[in-house]
Amino acid sequence: MQDRRGIPTMLASLVAAVCSNAVHAQAGSDTAEAPQEVLVTAQRTAAPESKTPVAMTVLTGDMLRAIGADTAGELAKRLPNVHLDGAADGLKITIRGVTNADATDKGDPSAAFMLDGIYLARPQNQNQLLLDVDRIEVLRGPQGTLYGRNTTAGAINVITRTPQQRLEAEFGVEAGNYGMRKANGMLNVPVTSALALRAAVAVDRHDSYLNNGQGTGYALGQDRDNRAARLSAQLAIGPAATLLIRYDHSTNDYNPDTFVADTNFYRNVGTGRPGGNPVWYGAPAGERLTNRFMPPNAPLEQGWGHNSTSGVGAEFTWDLGPATLYYLGAHREFDLDFLTNYIYRVPAVATLGVRENFSGGQRQDSHELRIATNGERTVSAQAGLYWFRERSHSDYTFRDLTPIGLPPYYTFPTDPTIAKSRAAFGQLTWRVTPALRATAGLRYTTDEKSRVGATRYQQGPVFNPATDLEQPNAALIETDKRTWRLGLDYDLTAATFVYGTIATGYKAGGFNDGCLFGVTTFGVHCPAAAAVPAANLFYQPETLKSYEVGAKTRFWRNRASLNAAAFKYDYTNLQLSGSAIIGGAPRFITSNAGVASVRGLELDGAVQATADDRFTYGLTLLDAHYVSYTPVPGRSWADRKLDRAPAHVLSAGYERRVRLAGGEVRAGVTARRSAAYFISVPSTLTQYQVPAMSNVDATLSYRPLDAAWSVAAYGRNLGNKIAPVTIDSFGMAVPGAPRTYGVRVDYRY
């Protein structure tokens, strides 16, 4: 076993060296302008990013436009120690090796995804269009005090632009390979001196990234047909209060057949023995992206999918003088329907085809009332109350499983699944000296989760009580947790800021299929045939304690920056999910992994070398492994790596500005090199290793001086390297996106 005892000392020494070097950095003589500081709200109050004691990355709307990114899944290469994968079942977020695979209506993420501070509970609702974005704040590490449950890995907050007291408009069109075509527009109108309106719309379409090698002529997935709109109104209510109301709506018509067989990437799979050792092999991108699987047991159908989401939210701010009162509330709806064709490997039987029909929806309401002191005080504080309720319904119907002894229709109707959460929180900062601050925060959360549903074995598409078997899935779990945060931060110099924190995080517990014998849950009685032992039905909350030290420094007349963070996590009851055959039938289960350890180092920054030359850089080191975990009886995974946790990642970027007569050209390139990492299927004792891989993106733009229009081009994944995003226990792999490129024209008024 590798000796890791020296790592905390090494990390602390590295951060100390960073701080020392920053203190002694000398100013240069070049007259290049320093980049403008970004204000963030990571601590729920506006502050410069360089003075915020959180490891974070900020992506502005202009950055997103430059790289052609308009969904969250396209951003991961710009984020240290973060994977954002547009998986088949929604956005999969992994931060510092911590992730979640349960995208069902009873599952919870490990990282909170928010739109203008509103928590979006379902991962299927998190990869919508990024419309009229001001910035995206990605917070790494537990955020349990100010952001609440399900933030053990971190939090992502997409912050959109608000109405302004000026007339302005934007319009853009874009075209690229795979039939990509995009258009967006924005109009901001000051109606009166107190009221401003803002409207934004966008359309994003492209054809499938996959090749059909099945000979059917059907279209495959990894396509897109998104349409989105948002209307905002901001009203000044007297001199001290403001009301901001937003309404948004978006739809996506797509094909959920996003899979290929894992054999597109690996040999020595599908042998029928657990704990196999898949071996990566080289293949061109076109082969990786080709689905050749023809099911021996059932015909294929044309896959299709449609989802829609909408929401209305309100923000109210009232300056009371010594403090400001904030209210943030929203109602959101999400609906999803699809038909997909699965690849379904069953050891010792065959690799089957399975068709699934799904129909479901989700409604959520949330309210938060918070008060925070104003100004630079010796003691500043904020406190609030939070309430959340989510109600979901779903109906999964699987066909074509008769070869393994199941009936023609194997279904999971659920109505409802309900999640409730209530919390009270507070955070206090004491300015011990003008340069030294101490922070303490506490949050108390109670959660209740329940479900009423069934597992049905049907002879036809409609359940018939006379001929079909039904086993109830009914459970109720209540959990509560106190999460806290202690921190110190210090202005080492006017341009160098250091901090240290100890924080805890909490992810709610839950349940699997089945029920407790003899228990009646919401009118549903549990018979012996459906009974599951409590140890298998319920899984416990996931908790962690985090230790982190960091430094943020600006030097060389603020033309260079360096952010450093060293961290150590102790996880208990890490929640892992996957499919497994239980009682002769496939089930999706979540279990607790025991204890896991995560530690690492993150360095990133930028250098404005001259007025026309800018460099960016980043380095992450990560050791994320299980301390104790037994995925199946008698097999220990202690010391094995957590998923999507490469030991190191190195990134570098360069942008050059060239002034031409009447305009300027900007050209940039970004490269990222990742060490190997694993994607695991614990239920089959299998770990797929994704080898070390490099990726290069490029941008090119031209803007005439004093002109309202600009033109830009970009290319992503120029090497056309394809790696799997997810792999499940039945042999389905979702490949990453291929090389894409596009040209864009923007007009701003």
Side-chain angles (χ1 to χ4, degrees), residues 492-720:
L492 194 61
T493 69
T496 300
F497 171 83
V498 295
Y499 66 91
T501 61
I502 304 175
T504 61
Y506 156 71
K507 179 179 172 182
F511 41 75
N512 295 306
D513 293 343
C515 52
L516 288 178
F517 175 65
V519 174
T520 299
T521 306
F522 297 111
V524 177
H525 183 71
C526 184
V532 175
N536 296 331
L537 178 63
F538 298 104
Y539 52 89
Q540 300 305 307
E542 176 182 291
T543 61
L544 89 158
K545 183 179 289 185
S546 163
Y547 306 86
E548 183 167 324
V549 292
K552 299 183 180 184
T553 182
R554 305 295 181 262
F555 53 98
W556 197 16
R557 295 182 180 174
N558 283 334
R559 290 163 45 192
S561 64
L562 172 62
N563 302 317
F567 54 89
K568 182 181 184 297
Y569 296 169
D570 293 321
Y571 265 94
T572 302
N573 287 328
L574 188 69
Q575 295 172 8
L576 298 179
S577 304
S579 298
I581 302 295
I582 299 176
R587 299 291 180 99
F588 190 84
I589 61 172
T590 296
S591 60
N592 294 112
V595 178
S597 175
V598 178
R599 61 189 78 188
L601 173 70
E602 297 165 349
L603 303 172
D604 68 88
V607 178
Q608 191 73 47
T610 72
D612 299 319
D613 298 277
R614 177 177 171 82
F615 296 87
T616 58
Y617 61 91
L619 171 66
T620 64
L621 305 177
L622 185 63
D623 174 20
H625 65 280
Y626 300 108
V627 175
S628 62
Y629 176 38
T630 305
V632 298
R635 295 296 297 270
S636 172
W637 270 23
D639 211 42
R640 292 205 182 192
K641 297 288 188 180
L642 300 186
D643 281 8
R644 300 173 184 85
H648 59 268
V649 176
L650 177 65
S651 62
Y654 171 63
E655 183 183 70
R656 170 71 175 173
R657 180 177 65 175
V658 179
R659 294 182 176 93
L660 300 176
E664 67 176 33
V665 174
R666 291 181 181 266
V669 62
T670 301
R672 182 179 186 270
R673 173 72 175 179
S674 171
Y677 58 89
F678 290 98
I679 298 176
S680 302
V681 182
S683 60
T684 62
L685 297 176
T686 304
Q687 284 193 305
Y688 296 85
Q689 186 180 54
V690 179
M693 199 168 293
S694 299
N695 192 281
V696 178
D697 297 346
T699 60
L700 179 67
S701 66
Y702 171 72
R703 177 186 292 275
L705 295 179
D706 301 321
W709 64 273
S710 62
V711 61
Y714 65 86
R716 294 200 298 264
N717 187 14
L718 296 183
N720 212 17

Side-chain angles (χ1 to χ4, degrees), residues 221-526:
Q222 298 203 19
D223 58 333
R224 185 183 298 165
D225 186 358
N226 278 356
R227 298 163 299 283
R230 179 183 300 112
L231 179 62
S232 307
Q234 185 161 271
L235 176 65
I237 307 173
T242 302
L243 176 64
L244 173 61
I245 297 177
R246 296 183 178 95
Y247 171 77
D248 66 86
H249 179 77
S250 65
T251 63
N252 186 21
D253 292 297
Y254 69 105
N255 188 333
D257 286 339
T258 60
F259 322 104
V260 298
D262 54 3
T263 51
N264 282 28
F265 298 91
Y266 299 91
R267 295 190 175 96
N268 195 35
V269 294
T271 59
R273 61 184 180 86
N277 182 30
V279 178
W280 179 275
Y281 68 90
E287 295 297 311
R288 302 283 200 211
L289 296 169
T290 298
N291 185 354
R292 291 189 173 85
F293 174 70
M294 285 298 294
N297 60 311
L300 295 168
E301 294 186 49
Q302 175 60 66
W304 60 268
H306 174 80
N307 69 43
S308 65
T309 182
S310 61
V312 59
E315 293 184 39
F316 178 71
T317 304
W318 187 10
D319 188 342
L320 303 173
T324 298
L325 181 69
Y326 301 90
Y327 166 77
L328 178 64
H331 171 78
R332 298 201 61 85
E333 301 183 356
F334 176 71
D335 293 289
L336 173 64
D337 297 277
F338 65 76
L339 165 66
T340 192
N341 300 272
Y342 284 137
I343 301 169
Y344 203 86
R345 182 184 300 127
V346 181
V349 178
T351 301
L352 308 177
V354 175
R355 292 168 290 177
E356 181 198 355
N357 290 90
F358 175 88
S359 178
Q362 176 250 6
R363 307 290 182 265
Q364 68 169 65
D365 295 278
S366 61
H367 302 276
E368 181 184 84
L369 187 65
R370 183 172 62 94
I371 189 167
T373 57
N374 292 328
E376 294 287 330
R377 298 169 176 268
T378 302
V379 177
S380 59
Q382 56 181 307
L385 300 172
Y386 178 77
W387 182 90
F388 172 85
R389 185 181 189 273
E390 176 194 17
R391 177 180 177 132
S392 306
H393 66 90
S394 61
D395 193 347
Y396 298 81
T397 299
F398 297 92
R399 294 174 280 163
D400 314 315
L401 286 170
T402 52
I404 63 171
L406 290 173
Y409 293 83
Y410 179 53
T411 71
F412 295 85
T414 298
D415 191 4
T417 300
I418 296 177
K420 301 177 183 178
S421 183
R422 297 177 298 278
F425 63 93
Q427 184 162 293
L428 182 146
T429 298
W430 173 33
R431 288 170 175 79
V432 183
T433 71
L436 177 65
R437 293 158 295 275
T439 298
L442 178 67
R443 189 182 189 105
Y444 176 70
T445 304
T446 62
D447 288 296
E448 178 185 304
K449 188 180 297 184
S450 63
R451 177 178 63 161
V452 175
T455 300
R456 290 176 175 172
Y457 304 83
Q458 300 175 195
Q459 299 303 313
V462 178
F463 180 73
N464 183 347
T467 60
D468 300 334
L469 174 65
E470 177 181 71
Q471 296 178 337
N473 296 320
L476 168 67
I477 186 172
E478 297 181 8
T479 56
D480 66 278
K481 186 66 177 179
R482 291 177 179 85
T483 50
W484 50 267
R485 179 185 183 93
L486 297 174
L488 288 174
D489 58 84
Y490 181 67
D491 296 323
L492 194 61
T493 69
T496 300
F497 171 83
V498 295
Y499 66 91
T501 61
I502 304 175
T504 61
Y506 156 71
K507 179 179 172 182
F511 41 75
N512 295 306
D513 293 343
C515 52
L516 288 178
F517 175 65
V519 174
T520 299
T521 306
F522 297 111
V524 177
H525 183 71
C526 184

Side-chain angles (χ1 to χ4, degrees), residues 15-149:
V15 172
V18 167
C19 298
S20 176
N21 290 337
V23 171
H24 294 95
Q26 299 299 313
S29 59
D30 200 304
T31 57
E33 295 182 1
Q36 185 177 359
E37 179 71 276
V38 177
L39 291 179
V40 299
T41 54
Q43 293 291 285
R44 309 299 299 275
T45 57
E49 185 275 331
S50 62
K51 297 295 184 181
T52 301
V54 177
M56 64 182 300
T57 301
V58 182
L59 301 174
T60 67
D62 289 339
M63 292 178 184
L64 303 183
R65 184 182 295 107
I67 64 176
D70 54 12
T71 64
E74 298 167 334
L75 304 178
K77 289 180 289 187
R78 310 280 169 160
L79 303 170
N81 263 336
V82 175
H83 279 251
L84 295 176
D85 299 312
D89 52 2
L91 184 67
K92 184 178 295 295
I93 304 172
T94 306
I95 302 178
R96 294 175 172 176
V98 180
T99 190
N100 175 66
D102 189 352
T104 68
D105 50 10
K106 65 180 180 61
D108 289 309
S110 295
F113 188 95
M114 293 167 287
L115 176 62
D116 291 314
I118 300 298
Y119 174 68
L120 303 184
R122 297 298 105 214
Q124 300 88 345
N125 197 15
Q126 296 171 359
N127 212 28
Q128 304 294 333
L129 281 183
L130 298 173
L131 178 64
D132 197 28
V133 171
D134 178 73
R135 67 188 185 278
I136 301 175
E137 298 181 3
V138 181
L139 314 182
R140 302 186 296 276
Q143 306 297 323
T145 301
L146 294 179
Y147 292 96
R149 67 185 184 123

